[in-house]
Amino acid sequence: MELGVKDSKLQNSSEKKASLKQTPLHDFHRSQGGKMVEFAGWSMPVQYRDSHITSHLHTRHHCSIFDVSHMLQTKVYGKDRVKFMESLVVGDIAELKDNQGTLSLFTNTKGGIMDDLIVTKTDQGYLYVVSNAGCADKDSAHMQARLREFKAAGHDVDLEYLEESLIALQGPSMARVLQEGVGDDLSKLTFMTSVLTPVFGIPGCRVTRCGYTGEDGVEISVPRDSVVALTERLLANDEVKLAGLGSRDSLRLEAGLCLYGNDIDETTTPVEAALVWTIGKRRRQVRDFPGADIIIPQIKAKTQRKRVGLISNGPPIRQHTPILSPEGRVIGEVTSGCPSPCLKQNVAMGYVETSFSKAGTPVQVEVRKKMVPAVVSKMPFVPTNYYTGH
Amino acid sequence: MFSSFCPPVADVLLFLPSCCRCSPLSALLLLMLSSFCPPVAAPASLFCLCPPAASHPSLIFHCPAAALKYTDKHEWVRVEDGVGTVGISKFAQEALGDVVYCGLPDVGTKLSQSDEFGALESVKAASELYSPLTGEVTEVNNALSDNPGLVNKSCYKDGWLIKMTISVPEELDALMDEAAYERYIRSIED
């Protein structure tokens, strides 16, 4: 067998290690048995001493900490910050309540998705934005360019890229674990809302109830000098274990969440990607975001292809696996997939011709030159547990 | 292959590492012979006389547990009564992680040495399997379809993958013994 990681996003090369970026938790990860791999130019843990499946299931039944400090955190200041943000994304940012956030998309003039991100409208005079590590250079250049335009037009906007670290605490026991270190009543912090609060005595933290696993969870933005202490304090609770990029990927797939670069990219429009819900109601009328004139007509006219979920048994289906009709005609391609630790079946996402996109439609996938039956499936594959307050 | 350094017993002696357990008789013979032919494979503490597979049926000595030979792709093969059992090494199963699916060939499949004969899948990745020898698949470990984790839990025993005939026994000679394989994995780990 060929050993070495097959996932094209991950490379384990000792020559590259010297030039990889490291989060403040890097040495701590290694001390905890973290197996480090390259991801988006960073040295990140793919798993620790527990197996992938153990770590994945621990997150679903207890809670896990993920170091996500490689993601880009940005603050957008100024009177015109909402107008600025809306000039880049598809969502109704103005309509967000104070301290409410939403998943949104940067789009390009061709209607393709440049990145997916979370925008939170804080009551502190800024928008708080978290976007993908793999798109950090692209996104910051994109925002800088728009910033220059806005300033030249006399608008009041400024950007600040944060130095803080970011850790995600995800799983059903998260609230119980975190409440011990937070004064505010977490039962009032509902899904997609955010609060500034000390955490276990560490000042300057922001806690946002969101995540990438489908479980109840938070992302904690914490001053970089305190992130190791915070992680250690959380790990002191038996409920909590560290988890790496391996289980992060299998968890988000079970939850039906897209991975930028695999499931969505600059060649996929929000309509093809089944992300129409991210397009604000007002924005659909005004069409004032990049690529709107291509994207909005697609909502009614439908697109040629659509992103769907697939479930199968037998050999796992992975990125680039061809999808065929029952008659054997190629109708699409898988964009990501893995064996589901929870379902003990294979789950995947891919694009198919729209006539095959209804849940329950039988298709085939070609794995190692053999045809394997699969079924188009609704997502999430595993029920989500977002905390709505009820 | 170490047999060529000791002319009088070249056809019979095959030095093998400590994984081989010997009958008391063969151990005695070994002690006698070692005064004529000092062992070359230094680290191994126990040697035994094992006939090369299928080519010396008249020899009375045989190992109760046959030795494993390894490929540089981390498969092992164990030959017993002319049949090769194939699996992956501990190093390989550790690197792969939890095996969730085993893609194995049909019985009757003819394989040349180094032919791809299947794949093992973990949650994150798939790894192709390469045939250590030329031969025909005679048996496939069906226990793995319900219990793929056997490859991790018992990679040398219950997690065996296929059994095959051995068309070209000489191919075994070129495979690594345990000591050589251990040196090999240490060299690639650096």
Side-chain angles (χ1 to χ4, degrees), chain A residues 1, chain B residues 16-17 19 66-79 85-93 113 130-133 155-156 171-185:
Chain A
M1 41 189 323
Chain B
L16 287 159
C19 64
L68 300 183
K69 297 304 281 290
Y70 296 82
T71 71
D72 61 0
K73 291 203 158 41
H74 310 284
E75 289 87 11
W76 56 259
V77 58
R78 178 173 59 234
V79 181
T85 304
V86 180
I88 63 163
S89 69
K90 179 163 172 282
F91 177 80
Q93 68 79 16
Q113 192 179 44
Y130 300 96
S131 185
L133 302 169
C155 58
Y156 294 113
E171 284 172 340
L172 273 166
D173 302 343
L175 298 181
M176 288 180 269
D177 65 11
E178 193 171 312
Y181 179 65
E182 278 195 2
R183 283 196 300 275
Y184 171 64
I185 52 185

Side-chain angles (χ1 to χ4, degrees), chain A residues 37-338:
Chain A
V37 296
E38 196 238 325
F39 180 80
W42 294 78
S43 173
M44 300 299 287
V46 67
Q47 72 180 70
Y48 299 81
R49 295 191 183 105
D50 283 342
S51 75
H52 183 146
I53 294 179
T54 301
S55 175
H56 177 114
L57 295 174
H58 183 89
T59 312
R60 293 260 181 254
H61 301 139
H62 304 279
C63 64
S64 296
I65 301 178
F66 300 83
D67 178 9
V68 289
S69 305
H70 57 321
M71 299 211 289
L72 183 65
Q73 298 175 79
T74 312
K75 280 179 172 165
V76 188
Y77 285 97
K79 236 173 10 48
D80 300 310
R81 61 188 179 278
V82 171
K83 201 172 156 152
F84 169 83
M85 205 66 215
E86 289 198 353
S87 76
L88 298 168
V89 304
V90 301
D92 286 338
I93 306 302
E95 282 78 348
L96 289 173
K97 294 200 269 277
D98 274 349
N99 300 313
Q100 186 187 14
T102 184
L103 178 74
S104 201
L105 310 171
F106 283 143
T107 49
N108 62 31
T109 53
K110 296 198 175 66
I113 300 170
M114 288 180 70
D115 198 7
D116 63 340
L117 56 145
I118 297 191
V119 181
T120 302
K121 187 155 155 259
T122 74
D123 61 2
Q124 303 290 307
Y126 56 82
L127 302 175
Y128 170 63
V129 182
V130 183
S131 56
N132 283 305
C135 299
D137 290 343
K138 182 174 72 167
D139 291 350
S140 49
H142 187 55
M143 289 191 283
Q144 281 313 126
R146 183 71 88 236
L147 183 69
R148 275 193 297 273
E149 283 173 25
F150 264 60
K151 279 187 187 290
H155 294 303
D156 175 30
V157 200
D158 266 304
L159 290 179
E160 182 193 328
Y161 302 113
L162 303 191
E163 296 277 310
E164 274 78 348
S165 297
L166 192 66
I167 58 172
L169 182 64
Q170 301 280 311
S173 52
M174 175 283 294
R176 198 173 3 121
V177 167
L178 189 61
Q179 190 65 85
E180 289 176 19
V182 169
D184 284 4
D185 180 1
L186 285 174
S187 69
K188 298 208 170 55
L189 187 74
T190 53
F191 181 57
M192 298 311 285
T193 61
S194 186
V195 69
L196 284 174
T197 170
V199 179
F200 287 105
I202 298 166
C205 294
R206 171 172 287 285
V207 176
T208 309
R209 201 141 189 170
C210 68
Y212 197 48
T213 60
E215 295 302 322
D216 183 21
V218 293
E219 288 183 355
I220 308 172
S221 183
V222 49
R224 54 190 302 129
D225 291 339
S226 305
V227 66
V228 174
L230 176 57
T231 304
E232 285 179 322
R233 180 60 186 82
L234 288 166
L235 286 171
N237 189 318
D238 277 342
E239 277 295 297
V240 186
K241 286 189 173 215
L242 287 167
L245 295 180
S247 37
R248 186 166 165 80
D249 191 45
S250 49
L251 287 160
R252 67 95 190 164
L253 247 174
E254 285 185 341
L257 300 171
C258 292
L259 173 62
Y260 189 82
N262 281 42
D263 312 302
I264 49 178
D265 61 27
E266 302 226 15
T267 71
T268 61
T269 72
V271 184
E272 290 173 324
L275 293 173
V276 176
W277 65 267
T278 61
I279 308 174
K281 211 162 133 201
R282 169 175 49 89
R283 314 302 304 281
R284 292 182 211 197
Q285 302 309 314
V286 189
R287 302 197 180 192
D288 58 348
F289 56 85
D293 288 336
I294 297 172
I295 294 168
I296 303 303
Q298 285 184 345
I299 300 177
K300 230 188 178 152
K302 305 275 179 235
T303 50
Q304 246 204 0
R305 60 176 181 162
K306 199 162 168 224
R307 182 181 63 96
V308 297
L310 295 173
I311 294 189
S312 76
N313 292 303
I317 40 189
R318 316 254 186 202
Q319 190 183 24
H320 305 309
T321 296
I323 305 170
L324 298 95
S325 67
E327 293 75 40
R329 186 174 62 81
V330 175
I331 55 170
E333 188 176 293
V334 173
T335 51
S336 55
C338 76

Side-chain angles (χ1 to χ4, degrees), chain A residues 1-3 6-7 10 35 51-54 245-246 249-250 314-316 318 338-339 341 368, chain B residues 73-75 88 91-92 95-96 98 100-101 116 119-128 130:
Chain A
M1 41 189 323
E2 299 283 5
L3 292 178
K6 291 292 155 117
D7 191 320
L10 305 180
K35 240 198 296 195
S51 75
H52 183 146
I53 294 179
T54 301
L245 295 180
D249 191 45
S250 49
R318 316 254 186 202
C338 76
R368 280 166 230 289
Chain B
K73 291 203 158 41
H74 310 284
E75 289 87 11
I88 63 163
F91 177 80
L96 188 57
D98 292 333
V100 297
Y101 181 80
E116 191 187 309
L120 297 178
E121 309 237 18
S122 64
V123 179
K124 208 60 182 103
S127 245
E128 282 74 40
Y130 300 96

